[in-house]
Amino acid sequence: MRSSRGGLRRAVRIALFAILIFILLPYVLTPLYLVVRPVSTPMLWRYLTAQPVTRIYRPLGDIAPVLPRTVIASEDARFCPHHGVDWRGLRDLLNEAEDFDDLRGGSTITQQTAKNLFLWSGRSYVRKALELPLSLWMDLVLGKRRIMEIYLNIAEWGPNGQFGAEAGSRRAFNKPASDLTAHQAALMAAMLPNPRKRDARMPGPAVRRLAGIYQRRANTAGLADCLKRGRF
């Protein structure tokens, strides 16, 4: 009996230690991503399962400025003023949401980056609870420009393992991300929620409609101050 209880206690301690490592590891890795080019958990999964992955990392300065501007307009209009979590937007969403499914549109670009780098997809209160403090930490450590650069290089922009703006632009328009036009950037932004069903290369009516909305939004704003070189 004592041996059985001792084994159970050891198993519990090991499990708790593993959970602690899982929670703390992203906080340790985040400062490394100031200089290291990270891969996302979806990319890792495709590597492990022998599925194709296409990504050519591009610094933010080598991506057409219209793309981050349009992504902000479509995904996270308050990207510059918030600190990783848009508490005002989240509060409004909570007041309007009827169930957890309605909260899926409340993630900032920083939260999406945290999820793609360290967590998992799907709707989960546990994931959200891990995501919020991690997003605040990433905003503090990495700054806006680096977060946007990482996001644009790990976002999925194609149905067959095309990750990052460069791979997405070459697939959709046969051109580098540095040469994207405003309309092409809007089509790519319209793909982001579901790149397996939305295609910038052959956009359907819904994608074209969204792209028009995002292009108009982006045209009303210049390059966000927080993305200018040397600004955080």
Side-chain angles (χ1 to χ4, degrees):
M1 182 69 72
R2 290 179 180 176
S3 176
S4 176
R5 289 178 179 174
L8 179 60
R9 284 196 293 269
R10 282 195 297 273
V12 170
R13 285 197 296 269
I14 291 172
L16 291 175
F17 182 74
I19 292 171
L20 183 63
I21 292 296
F22 173 77
I23 293 173
L24 294 181
L25 186 60
Y27 293 87
V28 176
L29 290 176
T30 294
L32 298 178
Y33 291 159
L34 283 166
V35 292
V36 173
R37 295 177 174 181
V39 298
S40 65
T41 51
M43 291 170 67
L44 286 174
W45 175 251
R46 292 185 70 90
Y47 283 129
L48 291 172
T49 55
Q51 299 180 72
V53 172
T54 304
R55 183 182 74 158
I56 304 169
Y57 195 99
R58 287 288 181 256
L60 191 60
D62 292 343
I63 297 173
V66 70
L67 182 60
R69 186 168 68 239
T70 307
V71 167
I72 289 174
S74 63
E75 297 278 297
D76 184 4
R78 286 175 43 80
F79 176 72
C80 282
H82 69 60
H83 298 289
V85 178
D86 185 0
W87 296 112
R88 188 174 73 184
L90 185 58
R91 183 179 62 249
D92 293 343
L93 194 64
L94 286 170
N95 290 335
E96 297 172 2
E98 296 182 0
D99 54 36
F100 189 76
D101 287 351
D102 292 334
L103 299 180
R104 62 185 180 274
S107 293
T108 65
I109 287 172
T110 308
Q111 288 175 253
Q112 293 177 56
T113 305
K115 179 196 72 175
N116 288 336
L117 285 179
F118 301 117
L119 303 173
W120 62 92
S121 299
R123 298 160 194 159
S124 166
Y125 287 110
V126 174
R127 197 206 76 204
K128 279 292 183 184
L130 294 171
E131 184 182 286
L132 293 178
L134 182 55
S135 299
L136 297 172
W137 174 245
M138 289 177 62
D139 186 88
L140 176 66
V141 173
L142 299 178
K144 301 293 187 181
R145 183 178 175 87
R146 182 60 175 165
I147 288 171
M148 178 59 72
E149 180 176 304
I150 291 173
Y151 178 73
L152 293 180
N153 278 283
I154 65 173
E156 198 166 358
W157 256 307
N160 297 307
Q162 290 89 5
F163 291 89
E166 185 71 18
S169 179
R170 292 188 181 192
R171 175 191 174 274
F173 309 114
N174 196 31
K175 62 165 54 176
S178 58
D179 292 341
L180 286 169
T181 67
H183 180 62
Q184 290 166 344
L187 287 171
M188 288 186 64
M191 284 181 64
L192 283 173
N194 196 336
R196 291 177 177 83
K197 292 185 177 180
R198 299 182 182 184
D199 194 344
R201 183 165 61 184
M202 295 182 292
V207 171
R208 291 197 299 269
R209 179 180 61 81
L210 287 173
I213 294 171
Y214 298 156
Q215 185 174 349
R216 287 192 295 273
R217 289 179 184 174
N219 286 341
T220 63
L223 180 61
D225 285 344
C226 66
L227 296 184
K228 293 178 181 177
R229 189 174 298 280
R231 294 289 298 277
F232 296 95

